[in-house]
């Protein structure tokens, strides 16, 4: 078996048509530094066929962050954010906090509500 590390440990499916998402990506890359070098940022804009081929609903990809691990597992919404945050020391406490059973459902609802409003305002939902 080849001992080489895969080039990308995470693929992040993000909305490249969303100004806030682009800013969030830049902030994450700045904070992650070298720890973010093995992340591939895949812009989902006009990539419906690719997403469907991977078993990701294009509509869900717009409404929830998705990441794919090197093993091929796909995680979405808060699970995706937690995976990303755990890679950055300054975000590790936040990853722990949002995974708490009391916090997680409330934050999930707030996140979904915020994204839905953003997409409706942009005429994309």
């Amino acid at each position: 078996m080849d001992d080489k590390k895969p080039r990308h440990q995470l693929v992040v499916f993000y909305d490249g048509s969303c100004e806030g998402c682009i800013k969030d990506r830049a902030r994450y890359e700045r904070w992650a530094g070298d720890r973010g070098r093995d992340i591939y940022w895949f812009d989902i804009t006009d990539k419906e066929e690719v997403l469907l081929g991977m078993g990701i609903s294009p509509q869900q990809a717009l409404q929830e962050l998705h990441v794919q691990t090197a093993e091929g597992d796909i995680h979405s919404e808060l699970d995706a954010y937690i995976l990303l945050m755990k890679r950055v020391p300054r975000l590790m406490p936040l990853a722990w906090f949002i995974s708490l059973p009391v916090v997680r459902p409330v934050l999930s609802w707030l996140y979904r509500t915020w994204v839905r409003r953003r997409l409706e305002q942009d005429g994309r939902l």
Side-chain angles (χ1 to χ4, degrees):
M1 181 161 175
D2 191 355
D3 286 56
K4 289 183 182 176
K5 182 177 170 183
R7 186 174 186 284
H8 299 111
Q9 292 296 307
L10 282 179
V11 176
V12 180
F13 300 88
Y14 78 105
D15 183 359
S17 297
C18 165
E19 196 173 308
C21 302
I22 293 168
K23 288 178 183 177
D24 288 345
R25 172 189 170 178
R27 184 178 313 111
Y28 180 86
E29 288 177 320
R30 201 171 48 251
W31 288 349
D34 287 341
R35 291 176 181 245
R37 295 203 191 284
D38 62 352
I39 294 176
Y40 178 76
W41 297 84
F42 182 83
D43 181 359
I44 64 169
T45 307
D46 298 324
K47 303 288 190 319
E48 290 83 7
E49 294 300 319
V50 174
L51 293 169
L52 288 169
M54 299 182 74
I56 301 172
S57 157
Q59 192 64 30
Q60 282 302 112
L62 266 180
Q63 295 177 26
E64 300 174 357
L65 179 70
H66 285 70
V67 299
Q68 182 181 37
T69 64
E71 296 77 29
D73 299 324
I74 296 177
H75 302 269
S76 62
E77 202 194 45
L78 291 182
D79 290 333
Y81 281 102
I82 290 167
L83 281 173
L84 281 170
M85 289 177 184
K86 283 182 174 180
R87 298 168 61 93
V88 180
R90 72 177 359 170
L91 296 176
M92 285 180 189
L94 185 57
W96 171 82
F97 179 74
I98 69 174
S99 66
L100 292 174
V102 175
V103 175
R104 188 182 183 109
V106 173
L107 190 57
S108 177
W109 179 83
L110 288 170
Y111 171 77
R112 285 182 278 121
T113 301
W114 176 79
V115 170
R116 187 174 48 252
R117 284 185 185 150
R118 176 182 60 83
L119 291 171
E120 286 172 351
Q121 287 174 349
D122 292 348
R124 296 172 63 203
L125 186 64

